[in-house]
């Protein structure tokens, strides 16, 4: 009878694994919508609880109110910025294609005013072929513009798919806000771990999701807004595009937005625009850089207790594997890795105690 029971249990585990993997495969086309629905539900769970208390426990009305607030403060601003960004990307590419904007000429202007020693070093590094480097740089800029434009146009042409994904995300978000506590308890009961292990893992994952979104997005939005503002004040074309690009790059700790404003400052100095170069350099170092150095450790590192180098590596890995979703998924996997290894000594000790008790009972 015991053999039959073990066989039934193993067969059930195989069936459970099969249907679970099939269900995950079924959700893959909309994994981004599902993922962000879960992430937004975790972030706004405290707001949902406050609204629920204010509405005397009416779950459906509280969830609907929280959903409307999320749409107003998150979804609509993101859509508006994305629409303006797409228009600016298309116009920027048209200028590059028409010759009004030639990044190779900008590089040429910089090289012309550089000291001879810099020219000598560049010639040695490039095999004496600076003209070829200029051409490759122009080709790279044009191809990058073509790629970005294709991405922008593909977003516009896939409006139906975007609306379906947005609808799925909002639909899931409503039910996760309304029934999230119950679903969380149910999922917790299904996890085959001890209560201490489950509490540690779930607490760690929740903290990482909230801290990563709260910290990284706050830093990215602040740096992008400040970078776009200073570009607009200095009269640089497509300031919104460069601001958004700085926001995306600021998701990478340590380097971030300086990859955009740094070369522009060098161009200003190289072309004799000392005032603009000084203003941009000072603003980049002491305002944009200060945001990264002050806000990121406070909002991300303080809550997650994950070292900065782990956050950097996991963010880069997540971005390369999962795209923009990876800036959350990467640190989440890193947090799960660290949390599991933190629990490992206790799990070994518990197993040894259990084996010792079994031996004692057998004697």
């Amino acid at each position: 009878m015991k053999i039959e029971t073990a066989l039934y249990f193993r067969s059930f585990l195989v069936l459970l694994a099969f249907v679970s993997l099939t269900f995950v495969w079924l959700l893959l086309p909309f994994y981004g919508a599902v993922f962000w629905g879960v992430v937004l539900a975790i972030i706004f769970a405290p707001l949902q609880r406050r609204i629920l208390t204010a509405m005397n426990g009416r779950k459906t009305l509280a969830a609907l109110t929280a959903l409307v607030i999320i749409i107003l403060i998150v979804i609509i601003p993101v859509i508006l910025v994305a629409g303006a960004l797409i228009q600016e990307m298309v116009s920027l590419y048209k200028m590059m294609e028409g010759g009004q904007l030639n990044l190779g000429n900008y590089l040429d202007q910089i090289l012309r005013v550089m000291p001879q020693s810099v020219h000598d070093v560049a010639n040695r590094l490039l095999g004496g072929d600076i003209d070829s480097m200029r051409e490759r740089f122009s080709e790279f800029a044009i191809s990058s513009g073509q790629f970005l434009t294709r991405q922008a146009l593909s977003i516009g042409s896939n409006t139906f798919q975007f609306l379906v994904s947005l609808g799925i995300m909002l639909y899931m978000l409503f039910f996760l806000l309304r029934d999230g506590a119950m679903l969380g308890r149910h999922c917790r009961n299904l996890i085959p771990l001890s209560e201490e292990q489950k509490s540690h893992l779930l607490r760690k994952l929740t903290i990482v999701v909230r801290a990563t979104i709260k910290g990284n997005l706050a830093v990215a939005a602040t740096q992008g807004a400040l970078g776009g503002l200073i570009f607009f004040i200095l009269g640089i074309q497509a300031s919104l595009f460069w601001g958004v690009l700085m926001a995306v790059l600021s998701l990478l700790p340590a380097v971030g937005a300086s990859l955009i404003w740094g070369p522009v400052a060098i161009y200003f100095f190289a072309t004799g625009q000392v005032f603009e170069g000084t203003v941009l350099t000072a603003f980049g170092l002491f305002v944009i850089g200060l945001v990264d150095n002050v806000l990121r450790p406070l909002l991300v590192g303080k809550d997650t207790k994950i070292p900065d180098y782990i956050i950097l590596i996991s963010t880069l890995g997540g971005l390369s594997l999962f795209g923009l979703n990876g800036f959350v998924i990467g640190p989440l996997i890193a947090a799960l890795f660290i949390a599991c290894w933190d629990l490992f000594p206790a799990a070994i000790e518990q197993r040894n105690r259990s084996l010792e008790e079994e031996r004692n009972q057998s004697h």
Side-chain angles (χ1 to χ4, degrees), residues 188 195-205 338-340 342-343:
R188 180 173 178 146
E195 285 300 319
E196 180 184 353
Q197 291 171 334
K198 286 189 283 191
S199 297
H200 181 78
L201 289 175
L202 293 175
R203 183 173 63 253
K204 189 76 171 178
L205 292 180
I338 293 173
C340 287
D342 285 343
L343 290 172

Side-chain angles (χ1 to χ4, degrees), residues 62-117:
L64 187 60
T65 304
L67 183 64
V68 171
I69 293 174
I70 293 170
I71 291 173
L72 291 175
I73 67 173
V74 177
I75 306 299
I76 291 178
V78 168
I79 291 175
L80 292 176
V81 171
L85 177 63
I86 289 171
Q87 292 179 349
E88 199 160 274
M89 286 168 62
V90 172
S91 63
L92 186 65
Y93 172 68
K94 287 181 178 177
M95 292 174 62
M96 292 171 61
E97 195 176 36
Q100 296 98 328
L101 182 64
N102 191 327
L103 296 183
N105 291 339
Y106 293 139
L107 179 62
D108 192 39
Q109 288 178 295
I110 294 175
L111 292 174
R112 278 203 304 266
V113 298
M114 288 295 176
Q116 186 60 41
S117 58

Side-chain angles (χ1 to χ4, degrees), residues 126 145 326:
L126 299 170

Side-chain angles (χ1 to χ4, degrees), residues 43 91 137 244 252:
I43 294 172
S91 63
F137 183 76
V244 171
L252 306 178

Side-chain angles (χ1 to χ4, degrees), residues 85 220-221 224 242-252 256-257 319 324:
L85 177 63
W242 297 118
V244 171
L245 198 56
M246 277 188 270
V248 173
L249 289 174
S250 69
L251 296 174
L252 306 178
L319 288 170
L324 282 179

Side-chain angles (χ1 to χ4, degrees), residues 219-328:
V219 171
T222 304
Q223 288 193 320
L226 290 172
L229 177 64
I230 192 64
F231 273 34
F232 176 77
I233 293 173
L234 294 175
I236 299 171
Q237 293 177 328
S239 57
L240 175 62
F241 169 74
W242 297 118
V244 171
L245 198 56
M246 277 188 270
V248 173
L249 289 174
S250 69
L251 296 174
L252 306 178
V255 286
S258 62
L259 294 175
I260 301 298
W261 64 259
V264 177
I266 292 173
Y267 170 77
F268 278 143
F269 284 119
T271 55
Q273 302 177 72
V274 178
F275 174 76
E276 289 84 353
T278 303
V279 169
L280 183 56
T281 303
F283 195 87
L285 290 175
F286 300 111
V287 179
I288 299 177
L290 192 64
V291 169
D292 186 71
N293 295 330
V294 173
L295 284 185
R296 195 184 298 276
L298 288 176
L299 297 177
V300 181
K302 181 180 178 182
D303 285 345
T304 61
K305 303 295 190 296
I306 301 176
D308 288 342
Y309 60 89
I310 296 292
I311 293 176
L312 173 60
I313 295 171
S314 62
T315 301
L316 287 172
L319 288 170
S320 64
L321 290 175
F322 304 102
L324 282 179
N325 297 332
F327 85 88
V328 178

Side-chain angles (χ1 to χ4, degrees), residues 100-267:
Q100 296 98 328
L101 182 64
N102 191 327
L103 296 183
N105 291 339
Y106 293 139
L107 179 62
D108 192 39
Q109 288 178 295
I110 294 175
L111 292 174
R112 278 203 304 266
V113 298
M114 288 295 176
Q116 186 60 41
S117 58
V118 175
H119 277 274
D120 294 339
V121 172
N123 283 325
R124 284 196 296 271
L125 292 175
L126 299 170
D129 196 4
I130 293 182
D131 292 335
S132 177
M133 182 189 73
R134 187 188 306 114
E135 292 176 4
R136 288 198 298 269
F137 183 76
S138 298
E139 291 173 0
F140 171 74
I142 293 174
S143 62
S144 299
Q146 290 174 340
F147 172 76
L148 292 174
T149 303
R150 284 197 302 269
Q151 296 299 314
L153 293 176
S154 67
I155 294 172
S157 63
N158 294 331
T159 304
F160 178 74
Q161 184 179 356
F162 169 76
L163 291 176
V164 170
S165 298
L166 180 62
I168 291 173
M169 187 194 74
L170 295 176
Y171 185 76
M172 276 201 61
L173 180 57
F174 169 77
F175 286 102
L176 289 172
L177 289 170
R178 192 188 70 175
D179 306 322
M182 180 187 67
L183 290 172
R185 287 192 297 268
H186 182 64
C187 292
R188 180 173 178 146
N189 293 332
L190 294 176
I191 299 175
L193 296 173
S194 68
E195 285 300 319
E196 180 184 353
Q197 291 171 334
K198 286 189 283 191
S199 297
H200 181 78
L201 289 175
L202 293 175
R203 183 173 63 253
K204 189 76 171 178
L205 292 180
T206 302
I207 288 174
V208 168
V209 169
R210 287 180 180 159
T212 302
I213 296 291
K214 178 183 67 177
N216 281 344
L217 279 190
V219 171
T222 304
Q223 288 193 320
L226 290 172
L229 177 64
I230 192 64
F231 273 34
F232 176 77
I233 293 173
L234 294 175
I236 299 171
Q237 293 177 328
S239 57
L240 175 62
F241 169 74
W242 297 118
V244 171
L245 198 56
M246 277 188 270
V248 173
L249 289 174
S250 69
L251 296 174
L252 306 178
V255 286
S258 62
L259 294 175
I260 301 298
W261 64 259
V264 177
I266 292 173
Y267 170 77

